[in-house]
């Protein structure tokens, strides 16, 4: 594969499911009724809300951990040279060609969605957009592996991608296109790449871009970080769900933000979920996303920002340990006036296209031909 930029890209979330039993706005425990959440299918039912309460505030999270400024990384071959990381030791794979160095505290913000705020217009622009806060590390941590690591099959088989999260992963507000999954599949088709989606759930159109659309996903409406963690490794990675994925697209946390009982210690819960995914699929690339903005009342912005700010640090620590993890930024340049649906929470078709472009800018060069 092509080497990635020097630090952590970011990743995915919020599952909406029109055919699931947990559809509807949150009531009772798990997030105040009437504060948003899609009416009808999906919504913030919160299904029991967050199982984890209390704990320390996620503010700042682990964003300062393992600065990994990669000041010594050779630009041509991803040579060893990134000083720092969680342990302070040399981190091999100083990311060859795509990224600049980060400052202290969690890596550069990913701005991989092109030059305009409505997302990239085509696959070529998305692919060309370099993510300045990410790096793919090999299991061994050697510079050679960092430069050649590829999560997808090289024998002509389709790359297995698991969309993982909540109602936004399901596609509430644009179910006809399966949310971001439809336009993401279209980008791969346009590039003549072979991909399929995995997961224990299924929804979406029958065809996209003239090809049969893979409907599997792991997007659970109203679910929290802790609830998603209960899906790994089973049934998310079961054979019936498509098996162990090559790439995991994770965006989760919006329901934790919405449910007051789940706001504390969000970053630590996300870290635990990431570790479960990495343990269950150690050769997969995990792309974890900053969550999209919302325009609901109730002071939710004060929770969203510290949670998103903590994600680069969570990625850095694991990347420095040789794990395959990067970040995607679904928050920066997401225009709430043109990309959010009327509920102020779920993206509309434009917003989901923006998300598809961001995902593709991270994984497009890795997909099977």
């Amino acid at each position: 594969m092509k080497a990635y930029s020097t630090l952590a890209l970011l990743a995915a979330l919020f599952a909406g499911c029109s055919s699931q039993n947990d559809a509807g706005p949150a009531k009772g425990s798990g997030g105040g009724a009437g504060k948003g959440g899609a009416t009808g299918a999906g919504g913030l039912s919160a299904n029991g809300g967050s199982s984890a309460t209390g704990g320390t505030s996620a503010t700042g999270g682990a964003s300062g951990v393992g600065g990994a400024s990669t000041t010594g990384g050779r630009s041509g071959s991803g040579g060893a040279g990134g000083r720092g990381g969680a342990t302070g030791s040399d981190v091999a794979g100083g990311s060859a060609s795509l990224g600049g160095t980060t400052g202290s505290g969690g890596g550069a913000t990913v701005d991989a969605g092109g030059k305009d705020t409505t997302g990239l217009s085509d696959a070529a622009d998305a692919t060309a957009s370099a993510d300045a806060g990410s790096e793919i590390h090999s299991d061994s941590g050697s510079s050679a592996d960092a430069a050649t690591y590829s999560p997808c099959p090289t024998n002509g088989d389709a790359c297995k991608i698991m969309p993982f999260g909540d109602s936004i992963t399901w596609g509430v507000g644009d179910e006809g296109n399966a949310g971001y999954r439809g336009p993401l599949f279209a980008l791969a088709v346009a590039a003549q790449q072979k991909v399929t989606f995995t997961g224990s759930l299924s929804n979406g159109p029958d065809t996209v871009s003239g090809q049969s659309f893979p409907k599997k996903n792991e997007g659970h409406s109203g679910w929290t970080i802790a609830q998603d963690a209960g899906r790994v490794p089973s049934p998310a990675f079961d054979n019936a769900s498509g098996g162990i994925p090559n790439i995991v697209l994770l965006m989760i946390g919006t329901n934790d933000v919405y449910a007051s009982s789940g706001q504390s210690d969000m970053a630590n819960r996300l870290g635990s979920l990431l570790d479960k995914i990495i343990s269950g699929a150690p050769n997969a690339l995990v792309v974890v996303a900053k969550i999209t903005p919302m325009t609901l009342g109730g002071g939710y912005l004060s929770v969203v920002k510290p949670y998103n700010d903590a994600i680069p640090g969570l990625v850095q620590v694991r990347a420095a340990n040789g794990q395959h993890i990067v970040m995607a930024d679904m928050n920066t340049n997401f225009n709430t006036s043109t990309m959010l649906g009327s509920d102020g929470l779920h993206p509309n078709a434009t917003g989901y296209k923006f998300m598809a472009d961001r995902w593709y800018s991270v994984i497009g060069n890795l997909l099977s031909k």
Side-chain angles (χ1 to χ4, degrees):
M1 70 155 257
K2 297 181 180 178
Y4 265 52
S5 51
T6 53
L7 278 183
L9 287 167
L10 203 338
L13 141 275
F14 196 93
C17 159
S18 60
S19 65
Q20 293 173 252
N21 292 330
D22 55 1
K27 294 182 180 180
S29 62
K35 293 181 185 288
T39 57
L44 287 171
S45 64
N47 270 3
S50 171
S51 64
T53 59
T56 59
S57 169
T59 304
S63 62
V65 179
S69 62
T70 62
T71 57
R74 294 196 302 270
S75 62
S77 61
R83 293 294 300 182
T87 64
S89 61
D90 286 346
V91 179
S95 193
S97 57
L98 293 182
T101 59
T102 67
S104 60
T109 303
V110 181
D111 188 8
K115 296 182 179 179
D116 62 48
T117 59
T118 60
L120 300 179
S121 59
D122 54 42
D125 286 343
T127 305
S129 174
D131 193 329
S134 67
E135 180 172 356
I136 293 182
H137 289 260
S138 68
D139 290 333
S140 67
S142 71
S143 59
D145 286 340
T148 60
Y149 164 71
S150 177
C152 295
T154 57
N155 61 358
D157 290 344
C159 191
K160 296 191 294 185
I161 301 171
M162 190 181 79
F164 197 10
D166 44 42
S167 60
I168 295 180
T169 298
W170 177 264
V172 164
D174 191 29
E175 288 91 342
N177 291 314
Y180 72 72
R181 289 178 286 125
L184 177 58
F185 183 75
L187 287 171
V189 171
Q192 299 182 325
Q193 294 166 320
K194 298 177 181 179
V195 301
T196 190
F197 295 134
T198 67
S200 61
L201 305 179
S202 178
N203 82 307
D206 292 330
T207 61
V208 169
S209 299
Q211 293 194 16
S212 179
F213 178 69
K215 298 182 181 183
K216 290 181 180 293
N217 67 92
E218 202 66 36
H220 297 266
S221 178
W223 277 31
T224 62
I225 298 167
Q227 286 174 302
D228 265 12
R231 307 293 291 182
V232 180
S234 180
F237 296 164
D238 289 350
N239 288 336
S241 300
I244 296 177
N246 304 119
I247 296 174
V248 177
L249 304 181
L250 175 66
M251 191 175 86
I252 188 67
T254 297
N255 283 309
D256 298 75
V257 169
Y258 182 78
S260 59
S261 61
Q263 292 176 358
S264 63
D265 210 31
M266 285 175 61
N268 285 338
R269 293 199 300 278
L270 178 61
S272 296
L273 172 56
L274 291 172
D275 291 340
K276 289 191 72 173
I277 294 171
I278 291 168
S279 176
N283 295 319
L285 173 65
V286 180
V287 188
V288 56
K290 289 186 177 182
I291 62 176
T292 52
M294 58 183 73
T295 57
L296 303 175
Y300 299 119
L301 181 61
S302 65
V303 182
V304 171
K305 187 179 187 304
Y307 175 67
N308 278 341
D309 287 348
I311 292 174
L314 295 176
V315 173
Q316 276 185 279
V317 169
R318 288 155 181 83
N321 287 332
Q323 296 165 339
H324 307 307
I325 182 168
V326 291
M327 188 188 85
D329 188 349
M330 299 297 170
N331 192 280
T332 303
N333 292 332
F334 187 102
N335 189 330
T336 57
S337 65
T338 60
M339 296 182 184
L340 273 184
S342 59
D343 65 2
L345 184 64
H346 296 94
N348 57 23
T350 302
Y352 281 122
K353 178 59 168 61
F354 172 89
M355 292 184 66
D357 290 337
R358 286 288 170 102
W359 289 127
Y360 192 81
S361 72
V362 177
I363 67 173
N365 287 338
L366 304 176
L367 302 179
S368 306
K369 285 285 189 176

